[in-house]
Amino acid sequence: MKLNLTKVVNGCRLGKIKNLGKTGDCTMDIPGCLLYTKTGSAPHLTHHTLHKIHGVPAMAQLTLSSLAEHHEVLAEYKEGVGKFIGMPESLLYCSLHDPVSPCPAGYVTNKWLVRFIGLRVGLPKDEVKSVSVWGVGGRVEITASKFMAMQQALQPDWFQCLADGEATCDEATSMKRARKSVDRSLLFLDNCLKLQEESEVLQKSMIIGVIEGGDVLEERLRSARETAKRPVGGFLLDGLQGNPATLETRLHLLSSVTAELPEDKPRLVIG
Amino acid sequence: MAAAASPTSLESAPRIMRLVAECSRSRARAGELRLPHGPVATPVFMPVGTQATMKGITTEQLDALGCRICLGNTYHLGLRPGPELIQKAHGLHGFMNWPHNLLTDSGGFQMVSLVSLSEVTEEGVSFRSPYDGEETLLSPEKSVEIQNALGSDIIMQLDDVVSSTVTGPRVKEAMCRSVRWLDRCIAAHRQPDKQNLFAIIQGGLDADLRATCLEEMTKRDVPGFAIGGLSGGESKSQFWRMVALSTSRLPKDKPRYLMGVGYATDLVVCVALGCDMFDCVFPTRTALKKKQYAKDFRPIDPECTCPTCQKHSRAFLHTLLHSDNTAALHHLTVHNIAYQLRLMSAVRASIVEKRFPDFVRDFMGTMYGDPTLCPAWATEALASVGITLG
């Protein structure tokens, strides 16, 4: 993958990403958007109808939340999610959650419930080794190893690394919570990178590192600098979507964060 | 046009159907309809052009599947906002962007089934809109006026529809009224050279009533006949007998449209009984939702050339059906229509090549594992026209 910038105007980057995909011959324009899919299909449209539309993005976004419960089927299929969904020629990016509904109600409550029970039976306080996604069938808990096993079955071109984005679901992030989201996400990243090294199938897939830290600038910068040290293919700036009231704060955070990121790697935002 | 045609004028009535071949055993026929927007080979399955947004496919997809006639919705288009708008859009063909033939219904059936506040009188079907409380009357004249504005190639008379499960004097009343409404439709029809008005045979499941209706309606000078009032809750045994009675009394040189009949076995049997045109709206329930298909990586039908089967496996469709993405239903609609059209094509070829009875035996064998395992009603119906299974 090679990112070439042709112009930068007031911080806005214009360019192309070349040598994408398994065969290395796809190109994407930046700025660009991804094709939203639900369970591997554009909403309401068959593949046939979709391609009557001019200008369909070269890269489609799949959500792990809609595919996690079908892991077994995909693992048995073996040939990757692109072929399974009938889009073998499309570039694929696998995000963790659905950008339309990332934080279902009760997400935070569940976590508190787990912690409460954890305390009562004497489990360590910080026992979160998994992240939950919500599919049609309900909650699916995913550890780093389960996550990488799923990515092995999917074989996407890019995938968002397992990360702790809960800090952004809360109304107001505490410093402590923001710090935890950064620490946990870096831990997940290091675990996943190690597991990727051991997987032949995933050699051609690129991990996208996730920048966390809630609304705390210090934590955001730390997340950016630390994530940039790892061999990721690009960066997802998590938690900037959502509540319009906090938009200005978040845009300020956004520009501070991107200043810390290498120029030759793509930066993604959700929703 | 005269309300009741005399026998001599029947000789000069336009013939839109050309018979190409007839089965020597059964009543099956292969033919060609000559319609304003092009020829249509029969027997023919006519998909509904816009099956509501949940299951719809585009006119482009229909054309690509080889469809040359489909159904348009008079109720949804003609009544709200009205025929003037459709005329401005160059008729229903222009509005839908469909270059081939269209058949529209009278609007009556949907009105009665969709609107709870409807009432049938001699004048027509009147109803009160649940949205603005406005009272509208769909009379035979109004229905024809709307369909004239829509510009469809085949238009249907407004008939007094009763469910096939209804018994008693209401059935006779509806049948007689349908004859009177047919005459009013014929009188009101302003474009007989551009649009073909079909009569609809009623009479429920009563052989005498149906026979009377057949006798009366065949006196009228119409280009084609529909067999109505069936495909409701009646038993299959009664159903086929009414179809057979109808085809035995309808003129051979005019098309027979069996309304609301579309499932594979029914289609094949009713072709044998002498029907030429069919339509059906498919329900959404589907076997693919079952667990056994979760890891079935084959297409629905390996010999099907539709886009769904070309690109997708049963496993993927199973996955999609269990999601909240309606795309799954569109995939299935495309395949179902492709299947129906292909089936009709195969049926027609077998009639032209004088091997229809063998085709029926093979078909039943494929459907049921063995021709002798075919449902009793179908076996009886086929036997009545000289086709024995197994």
Side-chain angles (χ1 to χ4, degrees), chain B residues 290-307:
Chain B
K290 296 201 185 125
K291 245 190 169 144
Q292 67 196 96
Y293 298 111
K295 293 181 187 174
D296 189 337
F297 301 124
R298 300 169 294 172
I300 298 175
D301 179 349
E303 281 170 41
C304 182
T305 53
C306 85

Side-chain angles (χ1 to χ4, degrees), chain B residues 175-194:
Chain B
M175 184 276 286
C176 294
R177 182 171 290 145
S178 296
V179 176
R180 293 192 292 276
W181 283 2
L182 172 60
D183 288 339
R184 285 167 62 182
C185 285
I186 293 171
H189 188 20
R190 272 180 252 300
Q191 300 172 131
D193 49 339
K194 278 202 203 140

